[in-house]
């Protein structure tokens, strides 16, 4: 079974270390101590918690779309050159880069520090995982 240190779990869910500790103390995450004496949480309980925290796409007033890959974060960089623009988002540990028209950039009023969501719709998605 996969286990994550408190700090790793916090990064994966985009919360603080203290939140992970509180959730494990409240029983929302299965916690234990590893061979080095560090507190860990199970990957399975972390996955369950991530699903619990995910927004419900069936909630009234929620925009529905076919793309399920959504990354919400903060705009960290905007570059505009003529008719095109590049926007960079930091979404937890993930950096998402989007190319768009300069007109779309203006319409969305995107600037560094804005909250934004990148929606990815692709025919191929590659997954990487560490070898253990």
């Amino acid at each position: 079974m996969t286990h994550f240190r408190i700090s790793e779990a916090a990064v994966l869910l985009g919360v603080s270390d203290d939140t992970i500790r509180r959730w494990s103390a409240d029983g929302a995450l299965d916690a234990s101590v590893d061979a080095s004496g560090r507190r860990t949480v199970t990957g399975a309980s972390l996955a369950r918690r991530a699903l619990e925290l995910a927004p419900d796409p069936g909630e009234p007033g929620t925009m529905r779309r076919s793309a399920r890959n959504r990354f919400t974060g903060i705009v960290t960089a905007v570059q505009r050159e003529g008719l095109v623009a590049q926007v960079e988002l930091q979404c937890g540990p993930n950096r998402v880069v989007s190319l768009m028209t300069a007109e779309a950039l203006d319409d969305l009023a995107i600037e560094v520090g804005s909250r934004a969501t990148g929606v990815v719709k692709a025919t191929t998605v590659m997954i990487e995982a560490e070898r253990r």
Side-chain angles (χ1 to χ4, degrees):
M1 178 183 291
T2 303
H3 287 78
F4 294 96
R5 292 189 329 257
I6 297 295
S7 60
E8 293 173 317
V11 168
L12 288 170
L13 291 188
V15 298
S16 70
D17 293 8
D18 288 337
T19 298
I20 297 294
R21 286 186 195 94
R22 187 176 64 254
W23 286 341
S24 67
D26 293 344
L29 295 172
D30 300 329
S32 61
V33 177
D34 68 10
S36 300
R38 294 178 297 199
R39 199 148 173 79
T40 63
V41 295
T42 65
S45 70
L46 198 62
R48 280 193 305 276
R49 189 68 177 152
L51 290 174
E52 290 168 4
L53 296 172
D56 180 4
E59 185 127 343
T62 302
M63 181 71 67
R64 296 185 59 162
R65 57 182 52 86
S66 62
R68 298 288 183 249
N69 304 311
R70 301 170 51 83
F71 301 92
T72 299
I74 189 164
V75 176
T76 57
V78 176
Q79 293 179 1
R80 174 197 299 259
E81 282 193 34
L83 297 174
V84 298
Q86 177 177 309
V87 176
E88 294 184 27
L89 299 174
Q90 191 64 41
C91 308
N94 303 303
R95 177 176 165 256
V96 177
V97 179
S98 175
L99 298 177
M100 64 182 69
T101 65
E103 181 181 4
L105 182 73
D106 293 338
D107 287 347
L108 295 170
I110 294 173
E111 60 186 19
V112 171
S114 299
R115 178 183 173 138
T117 300
V119 180
V120 179
K121 179 71 176 184
T123 57
T124 303
V125 176
M126 295 180 199
I127 305 293
E128 293 181 348
E130 289 182 30
R131 234 178 251 219
R132 296 194 182 240

